[in-house]
Each structure stands twice: as C-alpha cells, then as structure tokens.
Amino acid sequence: MLKPLALTVSTFLLCTAASAATPEQQMMAAAGKVSEARLRADVAKLVSFGTRHTLSSQTDPRRGIGASVRWAEAELKKLGLETLQTCDTVTGRRVPSPTRVCNAVGIQRGTERPNDVVIITGHIDSRVTDVMDATSDAPGANDDGSGTTAVLEAARALRGGKFGGTIVYGVLSGEEQGLLGGKILSDYAKAQGWNVVANLNNDIIGNSCGSDGVCDAKTVRVFSEGPRWQGREALAAAQRSLGGENDSPSRNISRFLDRLAERLPQIGLDVRQVWRNDRFGRGGDHTEFLNAGFPAVRFSVSVEDYDHQHQDLRTENGKKYGDTIDEMDFPYLAKIVRLNVAALMAIANAPPPPAPVAQGAVSTDTTINWAPLAGVPTYKVHWRRTDENNWTKSGGTVTDAVIAPEQPAAGAASNPNRPSNNATMGRVEGAQKQSVLKGIRVDDWVFGVSSVSKDGWESPVASAVPGGAFKPYVAPETR
C-alpha cells in the first residue's frame, strides 16, 4: 500500500543539505518543489491562447501555436536554461502545405557527462474533433497542456541543480498532425551526437476519472515497446535464438520507473507497466525517439476520459464535451510530475548502463561480459526468470578479464545462432568486465547489468540480449 506525500518540502531540503543525503532524499527534495498552483496557472495560460493547433497562426501575439511556443521558450529562459527552438518545414497527410513546425527546448548541461542526455517531453499543440480545424477554440487542457506544464514544472523543480548528465526539456509541436515535433527533436539529438539514455514523454497526464465514471488517482500508466523497433530486421534471428522479446531498453526504463515509484512511496503513486508501445492503435511523440534508436516511454493517465479529448466544445443531451481545465485533477497531475522529476534526477546522475553480453550455452554456469565505461566505479549484475516482470535477483562478483578474438576451428562452418560467435549479439573482445554466475543456467534466466556512480546513483538495467544496449542499434561488421 502506497503512503501519501507526508514529508514537507522543508524537511526534504534539510535532508539534502546534509552531506550524507541519500539519492532518495535528494529526489524527494526536488519532487517536493512541484507546485499544484503553478501547474494550474500554466494550464490556464495555455488555454488562454484559444487554439494551439499546429496550422494556426504563428504570428498573432496572443492566439495560436506561435504565441504559445514563444511563451514556453520564455518560461524556460527565465530559469537560466540555454534555450532554442528546433524547427523544420514539413508537409504531410495532416499538413497539406509547407508549414514551419517549432519546438521550445531548454538545456541543463551536465557537469561530468554532458553528452549523456535524458529528455522530458510533452506536446503543446491542441485539436478538436476535426484534426484539420485550425480556427475553432481548442483548449487542450489535458491533451496535452498537462504534459507541457509537466516539462515546465520539472525545469523549475530542478532549477540550479548540478547533475552528471544533461537534462533536456522539450515542448513539442505537431504531435496531433503526425508526431512532427518528436521527429524534429529526435533528429536534432542525433545531429548533436547526443547519447540519449531516455526520453520520458508525458501525454495526457492530468485527469483521474474516465468517461465511464471509473476513477484512479493512485496509478500512472507507463507504455514501453517490447522488442526493439529500430534494427528489428537485423535483430530478428538473434532474438529468436537468444531472447530479447521483452527486454528492449525502453522496457527496462519502464521497469526502472516502476521500481523508482516503490523507492519513493511519499509520492503516493504506483506505476502500471503497460507492455505495448502506446495505447491500442494510437501513438505519441516517444515513438519518433524509438524510431531513431533512443530509449523512450510514455506516461499517461490510468483512466482516459474520451469525452474530454479530441472533442469540439459543446453540450449534447446535458453532457459537456471538450478538453477543458475543469475536468483536470491537479493533485494527481502533481504526483506524476514529481515522479518525472525524480526520474530525471536519477537518470542524469547515474552513469549510462553498459552493453552486456551473456554466454553459457550447454553449461551449468552463466558468464556475462561487458566493455567498461569511463568513470564508472561499480557495476551491478541482475537476473530474473524469463517469465518474471521485474528484476528479482542481483549479485555476483565483477572481475576484469581479457577476451581473445574467436578463432573457429579449421574447416568448421560458422553457426550464426551460436551466442559465442553471433555478430548480432555483439560479441565482446579485449579488456572486459566479467561476472560468472555459478550454477545458474542461461536457458532459464534473463540477465542484465546496471552502472552505479560513486555516490550511489544506479542506472536502468541493460539486458544482455540482442538489441539490449541503450544506444541506436548498428549491425557489427562480420568477419
């Protein structure tokens, strides 16, 4: 049973002032700065733009997408962040003529590993019933004013913080017209050469009751892809032989968030892992990060209210329709934002996970190898039964090892499905870290490794499966 947020902000700040503050105390200190009043004020401001449809005015100072994006960038700039607009001119099925689409972006550079990046996103554009209607009022309070204000409030809560990695705050445009802002920002991340450890996409996170009267203010859904989408063709044969159907980097971000909520019961929120990329037959901006090979998940409410999203403002048979602010639950929204704040801090402070490889076919032991990462003092080995949801066991001794290049026997045909010589698995050679788990048979378990900083910040687990590494998949050269 989760407990309500009980400790005060001042208590958390006193805790973090001490040199021995734990990661949990530091995360709650930041999460405690989230303000329901500011969240409500932000959503009200977003609604005041009338419509934020991607095809609405870009020049009107008070109405339309242009004014709203400029306002969001100004809010990020107030916090002392490096800000910019990432833009592209696009056309498509829902953008019939060339249109400039811009995101407002704030960057909080890391002090130790500035190229390791975690990105929080929400989309600022709104719509009504007709996705091409760019003139009618489209308040978009929950979809996705809630996600936009989550990005802004997270930046406020983490203002002035010094983190090992970089945090990027992305207010995206064009989601309703085809995930345009997500592609623009993921393309920008790729062009910058960022090592994107995670994208936390927040889309519809502000209501706790559904259109059928079902309510749940204690749970947030986190959606994640199972097999890695990017590189899927090249990985398919290896995954069939060696596993990986349930162990993409995104699935491990989901597991990380589930565990994080358990570590921080004061937030009063449980994570329901939903094991599909998004809601049934639908999509969100995180999908474009996945397409680029970056780990990404979607936060969304436990129970959607279909009467108050993608609807014209109207009353029919006594029932109100439309995405209006009065249908939102701001205490619930604040809890989801607090979990995002904690996750951003945790991922930015932890080194990125390594890329482990498991060996052990026809053996009673399992050996896990991985290339060491610069500046990482400690690694943690995890494993779970193949039918278990989350990592249940950890341990093992980590040693240094040197793996010699494999030399197939003279005249022997190479078997591409053998883990020991499977190029797609990513055989590791040279100086390595190694853990040998005695008496644990590789057939029955899934294995993974996390990185731990000198201050105790632990990364998500990277699974030792084909496609498990937290980076875009690149097929290795075959010898």
Side-chain angles (χ1 to χ4, degrees):
M1 179 68 68
L2 294 174
K3 299 177 182 178
L5 184 63
L7 301 180
T8 65
V9 174
S10 59
T11 300
F12 292 135
L13 292 175
L14 287 173
C15 288
T16 58
S19 59
T22 65
E24 288 79 9
Q25 289 170 332
Q26 294 178 57
M27 286 186 284
M28 283 310 306
K33 297 177 183 178
V34 171
S35 164
E36 290 178 25
R38 282 198 301 263
L39 292 170
R40 182 182 291 273
D42 279 350
V43 174
K45 178 64 177 179
L46 289 164
V47 171
S48 76
F49 290 106
T51 179
R52 306 186 304 278
H53 193 284
T54 301
L55 305 182
S56 63
S57 174
Q58 299 195 19
T59 58
D60 190 301
R62 291 181 297 276
R63 182 180 177 87
I65 189 64
S68 64
V69 171
R70 289 189 294 273
W71 170 79
E73 184 185 7
E75 289 296 302
L76 293 169
K77 188 178 288 291
K78 286 180 186 177
L79 304 174
L81 297 173
E82 173 188 340
T83 65
L84 71 155
Q85 290 190 20
T86 58
C87 305
D88 196 9
T89 299
V90 301
T91 56
R93 183 169 60 89
R94 294 183 175 182
V95 186
S97 59
T99 301
R100 188 166 173 80
V101 177
C102 292
N103 304 319
V105 178
I107 302 175
Q108 193 167 3
R109 299 283 180 184
T111 58
E112 299 173 3
R113 298 170 285 98
N115 203 53
D116 294 335
V117 178
V118 55
I119 305 174
I120 180 174
T121 52
H123 74 85
I124 197 169
D125 59 302
S126 62
R127 60 166 288 185
V128 289
T129 304
D130 179 0
V131 71
M132 301 304 294
D133 182 350
T135 58
S136 297
D137 281 351
N142 193 22
D143 184 14
D144 185 31
S146 62
T148 297
T149 193
V151 174
L152 299 177
E153 188 64 10
R156 296 184 189 112
L158 296 170
R159 180 181 187 178
K162 303 297 182 184
F163 309 110
T166 293
I167 301 176
V168 172
Y169 306 92
V171 175
L172 309 182
S173 297
E175 193 270 353
E176 303 289 6
Q177 306 310 114
L179 314 183
L180 306 177
K183 186 175 190 315
I184 290 168
L185 185 54
S186 62
D187 284 349
Y188 181 83
K190 187 185 300 184
Q192 296 300 304
W194 288 346
N195 177 39
V196 179
V197 181
N199 165 232
L200 308 180
N201 187 44
N202 289 263
D203 197 345
I204 310 180
I205 59 170
N207 71 279
S208 59
C209 291
S211 50
D212 56 357
V214 173
C215 298
D216 181 359
K218 297 181 179 180
T219 309
V220 62
R221 293 183 294 172
V222 174
F223 292 84
S224 63
E225 70 175 10
R228 175 192 283 271
W229 177 260
Q230 181 264 340
R232 63 194 181 281
E233 294 92 349
L235 288 164
Q239 287 181 339
R240 187 182 193 191
S241 174
L242 304 169
E245 305 91 340
N246 194 27
D247 279 86
S248 69
S250 301
R251 186 59 49 84
N252 278 321
I253 292 290
S254 175
R255 294 185 175 106
F256 178 84
L257 293 169
D258 191 4
R259 175 62 184 138
L260 185 63
E262 293 175 352
R263 290 168 58 195
L264 303 175
Q266 304 95 329
I267 291 178
L269 194 64
D270 190 24
V271 167
R272 180 190 303 145
Q273 298 188 68
V274 183
W275 285 355
R276 55 166 51 104
N277 178 51
D278 207 323
R279 301 146 306 154
F280 197 83
R282 302 167 73 188
D285 282 308
H286 64 293
T287 300
E288 290 296 345
F289 286 88
L290 293 169
N291 291 344
F294 299 135
V297 297
R298 174 185 179 135
F299 287 86
S300 203
V301 294
S302 177
V303 183
E304 281 195 69
D305 182 354
Y306 306 118
D307 294 338
H308 299 99
Q309 60 176 258
H310 295 189
Q311 294 280 356
D312 291 338
L313 293 170
R314 67 193 191 279
T315 300
E316 290 182 358
N317 300 320
K319 178 182 285 189
K320 289 175 57 180
Y321 293 86
D323 190 353
T324 54
I325 192 171
D326 58 297
E327 298 294 335
M328 294 180 64
D329 181 341
F330 285 94
Y332 174 63
L333 172 59
K335 289 193 289 187
I336 298 175
V337 177
R338 290 182 183 115
L339 183 59
N340 272 268
V341 167
L344 291 169
M345 175 180 278
I347 295 171
N349 274 330
V357 175
Q359 307 286 335
V362 200
S363 171
T364 58
D365 306 328
T366 296
T367 300
I368 305 166
N369 297 313
W370 63 95
L373 301 175
V376 179
T378 309
Y379 299 93
K380 192 172 181 180
V381 177
H382 303 259
W383 61 100
R384 69 179 200 276
R385 291 283 186 183
T386 59
D387 60 348
E388 288 182 316
N389 297 341
N390 292 324
W391 301 103
T392 55
K393 300 183 183 298
S394 61
T397 301
V398 177
T399 61
D400 294 316
V402 176
I403 311 299
E406 184 179 48
Q407 300 295 330
S414 175
N415 177 2
N417 288 324
R418 278 185 59 220
S420 59
N421 68 5
N422 189 289
T424 309
M425 179 66 183
R427 172 180 163 82
V428 290
E429 298 173 349
Q432 300 293 317
K433 294 293 182 179
Q434 183 176 91
S435 183
V436 179
L437 302 176
K438 294 290 186 179
I440 299 178
R441 290 166 168 78
V442 71
D443 292 347
D444 302 332
W445 303 85
V446 180
F447 302 87
V449 181
S450 58
S451 299
V452 185
S453 76
K454 64 181 183 300
D455 300 320
W457 294 94
E458 184 177 355
S459 75
V461 177
S463 295
V465 299
F470 274 55
K471 58 184 66 176
Y473 176 76
V474 177
E477 296 181 1
T478 57
R479 291 197 290 267

